[in-house]
Amino acid sequence: MSSDSVSIIKPKTGWRFVDFKELKEYRDLFYFLVWRDIKVLYAQTVLGLAWAVLNPLIQILIFSIIFGKIAKLSTDGIPYVLFSSLGIIPWSYMSNAMTSASQSLVNGRGMLGKIYFPRLIYPITPVLSKLIDFLISIIILLCICIYYGVSPTWNLMLFPFFVLLMVCIPVAVGIWLSSLAIRFRDVRFAMTFIIRMLMYSAPIVYTASSVPEKYRLIYSLNPIVGVIEGIRASVLGTPFLWQYILPGIITLIILLFSGLLYFKRMERVIVDVI
C-alpha cells in the first residue's frame, strides 16, 4: 500500500478551534445521525409526530389557565394564549434540545470508542433533529395567530434571524454541558434544576417589562430573553426591544465560542474518560 493512501490520525494538544473543513468531510455521518434521531424519537408510539403538537399545546392550555385566568399576569394587552404560545413553543424546543445535547456524549459512548469522527457532531445532532418538533408545533402558532387575527408585518422578516439564535442557544449550552458531563456525571441530575430555573428566568409566562428596571440589564444578559422577545415582536409586529435582545446576543457569542474552545480542549480525552 502506498504512503499516499494512508491517513494517520494524531491526538491534538493545546487550545484549538473547530476545524469546519473536517466537519464538512463528515457531513454524511452528520446527516445519518440526525435522521436516526428523528426516526427513533417517535418509534413505536401510537400518536407519532402528533406528540410534537400535543406537548406544547398542553403546556399552553395549563399556563393560560394558571397564569392567565387564575394569577392574571399582565401581558401588555396581548391575549394570554397568544402570549404564552410565543414563549412556550420556542422554549419547548430549546429545553428539549439542551437536555439531549448535554447527555449526547455519554449516551453515545459505545460508538465514540470504535471509530474516529469529529466529536462535535454528537452535541449538535439532537439540536438539529429537535427542529422537526419545532417546525411541526408552528402549526399551533399559526392557528392561534389566525384565531386572534394577527396579520403579518415587516417584522416577520427578522423571524429567521431569531430562530437561528434560538438554535444557537442549545448548541452553546449543549457543547459546554456535554464536555462537562464526560467528567462530572452530576450534569445529568443538574439538568432538571437548570431547565426549571432557565424557564422562569425568561419572559415565557410573564412580560419582560414586569422586571424591575434596575435589574433589566442583568436580566437581559440571558440570551433566552432576547430570543423570546424577538420572536414575539416578529410575529405580533410590535417594536423590537433591542435593550433586551442585544445583551443576550453578546452573551450567546461568548458562550458559543468559549464552549467550542473548551470542547476541542476536552475532545482528545473524551474516549479515555467516558
Side-chain angles (χ1 to χ4, degrees), residues 161-162 165 220 223 242 244-254:
F161 170 70
F162 289 107
L165 292 180
S220 62
W242 293 106
Y244 293 114
I245 298 170
L246 292 178
I249 293 176
I250 295 171
T251 302
L252 178 58
I253 292 171
I254 295 171

Side-chain angles (χ1 to χ4, degrees), residues 15 101-106 123 172-191 194 255 258-260 262-267 269-270 273-274:
W15 293 96
S102 67
Q103 291 299 305
S104 58
L105 292 177
V106 175
V173 175
I175 288 171
W176 263 110
L177 292 181
S178 62
S179 303
L180 293 171
I182 62 174
R183 285 195 171 183
F184 308 104
R185 299 304 168 88
D186 307 71
V187 171
R188 177 181 179 183
F189 303 103
M191 275 307 297
I194 292 171
L255 192 65
S258 62
L260 289 170
Y262 182 71
F263 189 93
K264 291 299 291 184
R265 176 74 173 179
M266 293 295 296
E267 190 175 32
V269 299
I270 285 175
V273 176
I274 213 165

Side-chain angles (χ1 to χ4, degrees), residues 63-96:
F63 283 21
S64 297
I65 293 170
I66 295 175
F67 298 107
K69 296 295 183 182
I70 299 176
K72 296 183 178 179
L73 296 181
S74 172
T75 58
D76 295 335
I78 304 169
Y80 198 87
V81 173
L82 178 59
F83 175 85
S84 62
S85 64
L86 287 166
I88 290 170
I89 288 174
W91 167 248
S92 295
Y93 163 75
M94 286 186 283
S95 61
N96 290 333

Side-chain angles (χ1 to χ4, degrees), residues 22-177:
E22 185 182 42
L23 282 176
K24 185 180 178 182
E25 291 172 355
Y26 284 85
R27 59 186 179 275
D28 290 338
L29 177 61
F30 216 150
Y31 171 80
F32 168 77
L33 291 175
V34 171
W35 183 240
R36 183 200 64 177
D37 276 11
I38 293 171
K39 290 194 296 183
V40 169
L41 187 61
Y42 297 111
Q44 297 180 335
T45 59
V46 176
L47 297 178
L49 290 174
W51 285 112
V53 174
L54 286 174
N55 285 332
L57 183 60
I58 291 170
Q59 289 186 69
I60 290 168
L61 292 175
I62 293 173
F63 283 21
S64 297
I65 293 170
I66 295 175
F67 298 107
K69 296 295 183 182
I70 299 176
K72 296 183 178 179
L73 296 181
S74 172
T75 58
D76 295 335
I78 304 169
Y80 198 87
V81 173
L82 178 59
F83 175 85
S84 62
S85 64
L86 287 166
I88 290 170
I89 288 174
W91 167 248
S92 295
Y93 163 75
M94 286 186 283
S95 61
N96 290 333
M98 280 189 284
T99 302
S100 298
S102 67
Q103 291 299 305
S104 58
L105 292 177
V106 175
N107 293 336
R109 58 185 176 272
M111 184 176 171
L112 290 172
K114 294 177 180 177
I115 59 171
Y116 173 79
F117 59 91
R119 308 314 188 195
L120 190 60
I121 289 177
Y122 255 76
I124 297 178
T125 293
V127 175
L128 297 180
S129 63
K130 298 291 182 183
L131 271 174
I132 296 297
D133 285 1
F134 175 75
L135 295 174
I136 294 173
S137 61
I138 288 292
I139 297 170
I140 302 173
L141 188 56
L142 253 161
C143 293
I144 293 173
C145 287
I146 292 171
Y147 178 81
Y148 285 103
V150 177
S151 301
T153 66
W154 288 108
N155 283 14
L156 203 58
M157 297 287 287
L158 283 179
F159 183 77
F161 170 70
F162 289 107
V163 170
L164 177 62
L165 292 180
M166 179 191 73
V167 172
C168 288
I169 290 174
V171 169
V173 175
I175 288 171
W176 263 110
L177 292 181

